[in-house]
Amino acid sequence: AKQGVKAELLNASPKNAPRESEIVAQAGRAGVVTVATNMAGRGTDILLGGCPTTMARIKTRSILVDQGVISAEEAEVLPPTPRDNYFPCPLD
């Protein structure tokens, strides 16, 4: 991150469990580095370029949370919303 390189960490930590599938789905995106330990993402295939379906689901979820369609209680059980610079282009 210090040199302007976006990076996602994928490891077997329970705190990463909610976003693990999203991190794996986006691991092949251009311009993003995914660092994975030997215990993370076992037996999964990486789709080079990332998964547009997952990207749309993440963005839709964040909009629903921001607009209050999903309550604060419901949002607590969802994976955290990624930073704005997570998305490779503006999604309006």
Side-chain angles (χ1 to χ4, degrees):
K2 289 182 181 180
Q3 302 300 321
V5 177
K6 299 176 192 175
E8 289 284 347
L9 175 63
L10 178 62
N11 59 26
S13 170
K15 72 177 185 173
N16 289 338
R19 285 198 58 232
E20 184 172 341
S21 65
E22 294 173 357
I23 293 170
V24 170
Q26 299 306 321
R29 260 186 28 224
V32 178
V33 174
T34 301
V35 179
T37 66
N38 61 346
M39 290 300 294
R42 325 171 274 298
T44 60
D45 294 325
I46 303 297
L47 175 66
L48 295 180
C51 178
T53 303
T54 299
M55 187 68 66
R57 187 182 77 239
I58 294 168
K59 186 61 177 176
T60 300
R61 184 183 66 219
S62 74
I63 290 170
L64 293 174
V65 170
D66 291 346
Q67 293 184 353
V69 176
I70 295 176
S71 71
E73 294 81 26
E74 293 170 317
E76 286 179 13
V77 299
L78 295 173
T81 300
R83 303 174 306 275
D84 285 337
N85 66 358
Y86 177 81
F87 302 101
C89 62
L91 301 172
D92 295 324

